[in-house]
Amino acid sequence: MRLFTSIAALRCYLNLQKSAAPDVEVGLVPTMGALHAGHLSLIRRARQENAIAVVSIFVNPLQFGPTEDFQDYPRNLEQDRLLCERAGVDVIFAPAAGEMFGQAIDAGSQLAVAPIQAASLTQVVPPPTMTAVLCGKSRPGHFQGVATIVLKLLNIVQPTRAYFGQKDAQQLAIIRKLVADFNWPVGIVPCSIVREDSGLAMSSRNQYLTAEQKQQASVLYRALQQAEQAFKSGDRAAATALATVKAAAAQVPEVQIEYAELVDPDTLTRLETVETAGLLAVAARVGPARLIDNIILKNRRPIVAIDGPAGAGKSTVTRQAARALGLSYLDTGAMYRALTWRALATNTPISDAPAIAELVNSSYLEYNLDPASFMMKINGEDVTEAIRSLAVTARVSEIAAHLAVRQFMVKQQQQCGKLGGIVAEGRDIGTNVFPDAELKIFLTASVRERARRRQLELKDTGRGDIGLAQLEQDIALRDEKDSTRKIAPLRKADDAVEISTDGLSISEVIDRIIALYKERIGAPSASPIAGN
């Protein structure tokens, strides 16, 4: 593991890595140090999804107000370094304030807030509508400081992906907005809140609390849970959720609520009722600490996400599972196949990224989500059967590797799942497209078993002249491509249930999925919802 304190040294290191492997993927976890289990969960994911994992440790003076805890904020670089080394981090970037802000800070007073000369420092100003609510009301300038340092880090590291915790939901929404508005080529990866046994959200500021205060602070999560229960009972009104949170928290007078608000998770606009999703967020003072927490209230039918390698039977299982559960069927693989078919039909070079981006821009998909009569069209042409050809199968992974394709497909798929009520399959459906799916399944099978099944399919269509060994080789190569591709690699979600289909019939696999659905969600619906 390397530790860099200068921008020049870090850039030199990363440039050397990228010159040796131009497609190397870099994951960035921005932190202010005082690392805890929540940070480590982000680091583990960055380590899992990228060749190089970079952790920045910088207590940013720009995001602290004059009366806030900048001077007292916990700092322990040696302990952080040890934790990062154990977690497999490749690089720690721990600059001083003078390195990050140059002439805008007094070099003789690196830790003071006051020496930052705002007039001499270019800062990023997020949309006022996103900073005027939640923490922004009591922390003027905070998110301007956050946005400035995050975009500086993205520019310095130029990562493939950057990882942020859902606990700081307002920060996450603002960063997503900025990255989208500035067309920054980085994936912003939200990660679930990690909690202590009591339910208290992990935070570096928890170090300020005594054991008794930590127990008192755990009422925040219990209050959010009570509001969620009221929401699940059918009351979608913001007034009910907010009243429930405040009443529950009031039972612990040591916890002083600063705010409780219900907003749109993406735009942060206040909600009166939850139509699709709402961010229920709370901030409170407990002893010397200011703590925040939140929960997402989802007004939608369940989503079942089925991931897994090629040839594991995802399409067949997903279609039949959707029918059995009374849900719609989203075959995301068919979407990628349709675009592959069009590239081949128009003689568009699949390796030519600009040409594929242009193809995407001129393509439109139509699909029927009824599992009994799935249909796929692209630019008005029905390709439901044509997309299953060997030619399409051989090239679809290449199409899926293009960033433009990926962005197009994710928007399409997430729009399909906005109201829920679907069973969706793909090779990253639970990790990237629907990371908040109520049930995630990783459907797999051995390479030999998948080759055997593929050979039987080919024989049924009069194309049985391909040997089993060749099919095994092709499938193993496809697995390698899918698991190492730069865009949305195949991997099992941490909270997915793995089902190996070796030795199982389709009906036995469906039975297992139905049992999991009943266990996690409840009784299946009576009939599917069709959609386009």
Side-chain angles (χ1 to χ4, degrees):
M1 185 180 72
R2 305 290 297 272
L3 171 64
F4 297 111
T5 59
S6 74
I7 295 171
L10 176 64
R11 280 180 166 166
C12 182
Y13 170 85
L14 291 173
N15 287 339
L16 285 172
Q17 303 305 309
K18 291 176 181 179
S19 64
D23 291 332
V24 68
E25 296 178 307
V26 178
L28 171 65
V29 181
T31 82
M32 293 204 300
L35 302 183
H36 51 69
H39 294 115
L40 294 178
S41 70
L42 274 64
I43 291 170
R44 282 194 299 271
R45 184 159 179 188
R47 172 72 284 167
Q48 183 180 38
E49 296 181 354
N50 304 276
I52 299 174
V54 178
V55 173
S56 65
I57 298 176
F58 179 67
V59 183
N60 175 29
L62 287 181
Q63 64 191 70
F64 287 81
T67 62
E68 293 184 341
D69 58 340
F70 177 72
Q71 301 286 2
D72 298 324
Y73 195 85
R75 296 169 172 87
N76 192 337
L77 181 58
E78 193 53 42
Q79 176 66 18
D80 291 343
R81 181 174 182 169
L82 180 61
L83 290 172
C84 285
E85 191 167 19
R86 289 174 179 171
V89 169
D90 297 288
V91 176
I92 293 176
F93 178 49
E99 178 69 10
M100 293 301 288
F101 301 121
Q103 298 301 316
I105 189 168
D106 180 356
S109 184
Q110 297 282 341
L111 290 181
V113 180
I116 293 289
Q117 303 299 315
S120 61
L121 178 66
T122 301
Q123 295 195 58
V124 179
V125 181
T129 55
M130 300 186 77
T131 60
V133 297
L134 305 180
C135 292
K137 290 189 298 183
S138 62
R139 305 188 73 186
H142 169 74
F143 290 108
Q144 184 170 313
V146 169
T148 299
I149 198 64
V150 168
L151 289 194
K152 283 175 74 71
L153 287 169
L154 294 180
N155 184 51
I156 292 166
V157 179
Q158 298 189 12
T160 312
R161 303 174 186 88
Y163 297 79
F164 296 88
Q166 177 63 36
K167 181 176 74 71
D168 298 298
Q170 186 172 13
Q171 170 183 280
L172 175 61
I174 289 170
I175 290 168
R176 279 174 154 172
K177 173 68 171 170
L178 292 174
V179 166
D181 286 352
F182 285 109
N183 303 108
W184 205 266
V186 57
I188 300 302
V189 183
C191 299
S192 300
I193 298 174
V194 177
R195 300 183 180 278
E196 298 187 8
D197 292 341
S198 65
L200 177 63
M202 290 277 188
S203 170
S204 297
R205 288 187 169 93
N206 289 357
Q207 296 181 35
Y208 298 157
L209 304 177
T210 66
E212 182 180 11
Q213 288 170 332
K214 284 186 179 182
Q215 192 58 45
Q216 292 166 348
S218 67
V219 74
L220 294 175
Y221 184 50
R222 293 198 302 275
L224 292 171
Q225 287 179 305
Q226 289 181 30
E228 184 180 37
Q229 288 305 312
F231 177 80
K232 288 181 176 178
S233 70
D235 192 335
R236 311 292 191 229
T240 301
L242 300 180
T244 302
V245 168
K246 292 174 182 177
Q251 297 178 27
V252 182
E254 294 83 0
V255 176
Q256 297 297 310
I257 294 292
E258 180 182 296
Y259 71 72
E261 293 191 38
L262 184 64
V263 300
D264 183 281
D266 297 317
T267 66
L268 302 181
T269 54
R270 288 187 179 89
L271 299 177
E272 295 299 326
T273 59
V274 178
E275 298 296 333
T276 55
L279 171 69
L280 181 58
V282 62
R285 294 279 178 179
V286 183
R290 180 182 184 276
L291 305 176
I292 59 174
D293 203 349
N294 66 79
I295 197 168
I296 301 291
L297 303 178
K298 293 176 287 188
N299 183 16
R300 70 176 194 202
R301 300 184 69 204
I303 292 177
V304 179
I306 301 181
D307 284 306
K314 295 189 302 298
S315 294
T316 302
V317 166
T318 303
R319 187 194 301 263
Q320 293 193 26
R323 296 184 69 174
L325 295 171
L327 302 175
S328 297
Y329 167 55
L330 179 60
D331 183 352
T332 63
M335 294 177 167
Y336 285 100
R337 285 174 173 272
L339 201 59
T340 306
W341 177 89
R342 186 162 185 249
L344 295 174
T346 57
N347 294 315
T348 304
I350 291 179
S351 60
D352 187 335
I356 292 298
E358 284 295 315
L359 182 79
V360 168
N361 192 53
S362 64
S363 297
Y364 62 92
L365 299 174
E366 300 171 81
Y367 30 80
N368 179 359
L369 301 184
D370 186 340
S373 57
F374 180 79
M375 174 275 297
M376 174 65 66
K377 290 183 179 181
I378 186 165
N379 288 33
E381 185 164 355
D382 190 334
V383 294
T384 307
E385 298 300 326
I387 60 176
R388 302 297 170 184
S389 71
L390 283 175
V392 169
T393 299
R395 307 300 299 276
V396 67
S397 285
E398 295 175 64
I399 281 285
H402 287 288
L403 179 60
V405 173
R406 170 69 186 151
Q407 292 172 334
F408 172 75
M409 292 301 182
V410 168
K411 288 181 181 178
Q412 293 273 323
Q413 293 158 14
Q414 290 179 337
Q415 184 62 34
C416 289
K418 193 170 184 179
L419 298 179
I422 60 172
V423 182
E425 66 90 4
R427 277 175 289 283
D428 64 341
I429 201 75
T431 53
N432 291 287
V433 183
F434 299 121
D436 58 346
E438 283 74 12
L439 175 59
K440 300 177 189 176
I441 294 168
F442 191 81
L443 199 68
T444 187
S446 65
V447 170
R448 175 169 288 274
E449 175 62 17
R450 285 183 280 150
R452 185 189 67 81
R453 293 173 185 172
R454 183 58 176 160
Q455 190 176 53
L456 291 175
E457 291 175 1
L458 293 174
K459 285 181 178 178
D460 288 342
T461 58
R463 295 175 291 171
D465 55 339
I466 301 179
L468 192 62
Q470 180 62 50
L471 289 172
E472 287 184 17
Q473 182 178 339
D474 292 345
I475 288 173
L477 180 61
R478 174 81 176 273
D479 286 351
E480 182 180 3
K481 287 182 178 179
D482 286 342
S483 61
T484 59
R485 66 190 181 192
K486 185 175 182 180
I487 307 299
L490 166 68
R491 70 174 184 86
K492 177 186 172 185
D494 292 338
D495 54 349
V497 179
E498 182 170 328
I499 299 178
S500 174
T501 61
D502 283 28
L504 295 180
S505 66
I506 295 295
S507 61
E508 288 172 326
V509 175
I510 300 301
D511 287 344
R512 290 195 181 186
I513 292 174
I514 292 173
L516 286 168
Y517 186 95
K518 290 179 178 178
E519 176 187 325
R520 301 282 183 90
I521 301 169
S525 304
S527 60
I529 297 177
N532 292 285

